[in-house]
Amino acid sequence: MSIFVAVQSDDFCVASEYDELRRHSACGAVVTFSGLVRELSDNTLHSMTLEHYPGMTEQALIAIAQQAQSRWQLGAVHIIHRVGTLKPNEQIVFVGIASAHRAAAFAACEFIMDYLKNRAPFWKKEHTASGDYWVGAKASDQQALARWE
């Protein structure tokens, strides 16, 4: 299995990542997820800053990809997570899975996103009209993770 992990400030191209995943000839399915910075319900989000520990973060993402590979037969896993200051509707995360079968690709993509939301060492600060706030863990994210444990 091929694992590609990147933590970067630069944007990424979903089409290019998809093309890379398609190169795995034994794969009959490619599933991708691209997450965006979303507006708050009251439309006050100006930007979000993401921080991480270089080196430690990449190792955590590799470990998450390896966990997915141990559960499903996967040909390739690509994880890209952006850091720095991002504005609403900018891309923040990409997860791509190439697998022989779609069920494994869909499941692995969901698994990785649930683990990224809960276990990856990223810290998010929202910059809003009423001030700056660190984003805490959400119960719904923890519930999503619990289904895999």
Side-chain angles (χ1 to χ4, degrees), residues 3 54 84 100 116 139:
I3 295 175
L116 284 176

Side-chain angles (χ1 to χ4, degrees), residues 133-148:
Y133 306 94
W134 288 103
V135 177
K138 295 179 183 172
S140 59
D141 291 336
Q142 293 169 348
Q143 289 169 346
L145 180 65
R147 70 183 168 142
W148 303 110

Side-chain angles (χ1 to χ4, degrees), residues 78-147:
H78 285 206
I79 302 172
I80 301 172
H81 206 297
R82 294 184 66 199
V83 292
T85 301
L86 303 172
K87 302 227 181 272
N89 209 39
E90 286 190 292
Q91 297 183 123
I92 190 171
V93 64
F94 174 86
V95 174
I97 307 291
S99 177
H101 303 286
R102 65 183 159 88
F106 276 113
C109 193
E110 279 192 285
F111 172 91
I112 289 171
M113 277 309 305
D114 289 341
Y115 269 75
L116 284 176
K117 293 284 284 184
N118 287 279
R119 301 272 170 85
F122 291 101
W123 294 270
K124 299 175 184 177
K125 183 183 260 188
E126 293 177 344
H127 307 285
T128 70
S130 57
D132 297 344
Y133 306 94
W134 288 103
V135 177
K138 295 179 183 172
S140 59
D141 291 336
Q142 293 169 348
Q143 289 169 346
L145 180 65
R147 70 183 168 142

Side-chain angles (χ1 to χ4, degrees), residues 68-83:
Q69 194 275 332
S70 72
R71 289 176 174 244
W72 298 279
Q73 290 186 316
L74 307 176
V77 174
H78 285 206
I79 302 172
I80 301 172
H81 206 297
R82 294 184 66 199
V83 292

